[in-house]
């Protein structure tokens, strides 16, 4: 059995994402980000397929994606509120990591398990950033599901998708508390 780690459990019981719109510079340097990325990739990976990859988006790349999000919103005929929210997600960020779900052909590991593994990378990166003292938030949005945006903006290949954008930076104010799920209302105990 692993040794108990009460500090890690306390962190998990009290962790809170920080709203991306409250994050500012500085963001982690490449040197500071590397251990967070390393921690993020230590996730369940049935078959050791590594069905994910990371794209670190620095300020110039985020500015380019903001422009592309605006253009795609116009092309898709989206309303101004949806356009503005997607543009701001990229324009106002200093650093984000796109976690790309990149399932591999496998007779043994279903595609859905590989997609779930990419979601685990998102959560692991989010928690690694928070545990390191950074503010962080996991975002998606319509642009992350738009094939043309993903292909043109991120270079995604057929079969790949965005599992999430993990925004990391310095928080400008404490994260708001929110109601948490009631364990007993969502848990069923079975003895047989």
């Amino acid at each position: 059995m692993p040794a108990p780690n009460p500090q890690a459990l306390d962190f998990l019981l009290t962790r809170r994402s920080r709203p991306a719109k409250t994050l500012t510079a500085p963001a982690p340097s490449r040197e500071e980000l590397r251990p967070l990325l390393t921690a993020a990739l230590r996730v369940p990976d049935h078959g050791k397929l590594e069905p994910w990859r990371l794209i670190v988006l620095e300020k110039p790349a985020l500015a380019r994606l903001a422009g592309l999000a605006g253009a795609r919103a116009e092309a898709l005929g989206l309303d101004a509120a949806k356009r503005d929210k997607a543009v701001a997600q990229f324009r106002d960020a200093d650093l984000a990591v796109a976690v790309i779900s990149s399932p591999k052909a496998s007779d043994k590991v279903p595609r859905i398990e590989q997609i779930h593994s990419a979601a685990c990378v998102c959560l692991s990166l989010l928690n690694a950033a928070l545990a390191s003292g950074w503010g962080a938030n996991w975002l998606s949005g319509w642009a992350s599901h738009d094939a043309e945006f993903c292909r043109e903006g991120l270079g995604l290949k057929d079969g790949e998708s965005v599992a999430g954008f993990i925004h990391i930076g310095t928080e400008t104010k404490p994260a708001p508390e929110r109601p948490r799920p009631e364990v007993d209302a969502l848990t069923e105990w079975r003895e047989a």
Side-chain angles (χ1 to χ4, degrees):
M1 295 233 348
N5 189 334
Q7 288 179 310
L9 183 57
D10 184 57
F11 167 77
L12 292 171
L13 289 170
T14 59
R15 64 156 301 284
R16 293 186 296 175
S17 297
R18 288 6 189 219
K21 62 187 173 186
T22 68
L23 302 179
T24 189
S29 66
R30 289 182 180 196
E31 182 178 300
E32 292 167 318
L33 188 60
R34 186 167 297 282
L36 307 182
L37 300 177
T38 301
L41 299 180
R42 291 184 61 98
V43 297
D45 175 14
H46 186 185
K48 300 180 186 89
L49 298 176
E50 300 176 357
W52 16 254
R53 61 189 182 92
L54 307 173
I55 303 172
V56 178
L57 302 166
E58 296 175 308
K59 194 69 176 172
L62 290 161
R64 180 180 57 80
L65 290 176
L68 179 59
R72 284 297 298 148
E74 293 294 328
L76 293 169
L78 300 180
D79 64 50
K82 284 185 179 180
R83 179 199 63 221
D84 294 348
K85 185 175 181 180
V87 169
Q89 174 181 339
F90 300 108
R91 180 196 64 217
D92 299 342
D94 290 291
L95 178 80
V97 179
V99 177
I100 308 304
S101 175
S102 185
K104 309 293 189 274
S106 173
D107 293 332
K108 294 183 178 182
V109 183
R111 179 178 173 83
I112 190 67
E113 287 186 21
Q114 297 182 52
I115 292 168
H116 291 164
S117 184
C120 289
V121 172
C122 291
L123 182 58
S124 288
L125 179 54
L126 177 67
N127 282 337
L130 294 169
S132 296
W134 296 101
N137 197 268
W138 175 358
L139 298 179
S140 55
W142 67 262
S144 67
H145 306 295
D146 180 67
E148 189 168 328
F149 176 88
C150 292
R151 188 172 35 258
E152 185 178 337
L154 300 167
L156 267 58
K157 302 173 186 97
D158 288 342
E160 292 186 322
S161 60
V162 174
F165 293 102
I166 311 303
H167 290 252
I168 306 172
T170 299
E171 59 182 312
T172 56
K173 57 185 171 180
E177 192 49 77
R178 65 176 180 84
R180 297 297 172 167
E182 176 54 49
V183 172
D184 291 334
L186 300 169
T187 305
E188 179 179 333
W189 301 85
R190 295 187 179 184
E191 294 183 10

